[in-house]
Amino acid sequence: MKKEDFMRLAIRDAKENKHHFGAVVVKGNKVIAKAGKRPIGDARYHAETTALLKATKKLGVKRFPKGCMLYTTCEPCVMCFYMAWITGISKIVYGATLQDALKFGFQEIDINIDELNRKGGNRVKLRKGFLRDECLALFKR
């Protein structure tokens, strides 16, 4: 699979579940877990946290082996970044920005991922704006 395929899988999962957000955890060229934000009435279950929890359970680990990546349709919030950071995700690839989410009325704490990563020792590689327009389309639904 190509990088675009992983992000499009996150986008497709969000659409299929009628949600604005989707996330996929990848190791090498293999999808470990995916999740759109689920409407279960618990704020901890964002797409990223759900995908990360599923992936750690599937792999039977508390910390990911080196090279695991998180593809997410939007820049992770503080909670989701911390979850990725503490579990050892090597790289986060995201489409829409936190500023985009705020403009569409989603409730988020306005602290961008670059600042969080800097405070965390720059342990996570970041790629922003990946397939941004396709990810933004989820907000317009």
Side-chain angles (χ1 to χ4, degrees):
M1 291 179 83
K2 297 177 187 175
K3 295 175 193 173
E4 293 84 2
D5 297 328
F6 296 125
M7 184 64 86
R8 288 196 175 110
L9 180 59
I11 292 166
R12 185 171 59 245
D13 191 57
K15 284 180 182 175
E16 288 173 359
N17 288 289
K18 297 178 174 54
H19 297 292
H20 302 288
F21 304 94
V24 174
V25 176
V26 174
K27 170 74 171 133
N29 203 28
K30 183 180 177 189
V31 174
I32 305 300
K34 64 184 173 91
K37 185 176 177 183
R38 305 293 189 242
I40 58 175
D42 189 331
R44 296 172 298 169
Y45 290 94
H46 288 190
E48 299 92 339
T49 57
T50 302
L52 291 164
L53 288 168
K54 284 181 175 181
T56 55
K57 184 176 181 180
K58 184 174 182 178
L59 294 174
V61 298
K62 292 181 182 172
R63 282 190 55 83
F64 290 108
K66 240 185 170 48
C68 286
M69 297 174 58
L70 175 66
Y71 285 82
T72 179
T73 58
C74 186
E75 178 179 356
C77 69
V78 174
M79 174 183 70
C80 294
F81 175 79
Y82 179 74
M83 180 77 139
W85 182 83
I86 200 73
T87 57
I89 284 291
S90 298
K91 185 174 184 178
I92 297 173
V93 178
Y94 64 93
T97 66
L98 194 61
Q99 289 302 310
D100 294 327
L102 289 166
K103 286 176 188 171
F104 276 88
F106 294 101
Q107 291 185 336
E108 299 290 346
I109 296 173
D110 191 5
I111 301 174
N112 74 48
I113 197 171
D114 293 317
E115 183 177 345
L116 293 170
N117 197 35
R118 194 170 34 259
K119 289 182 183 272
N122 289 313
R123 289 193 335 208
V124 182
K125 291 180 184 173
L126 303 173
R127 176 152 184 211
K128 55 182 123 182
F130 190 71
L131 300 180
R132 182 173 177 258
D133 289 338
E134 291 178 47
C135 294
L136 275 175
L138 292 170
F139 293 171
K140 298 173 185 175
R141 300 176 38 200

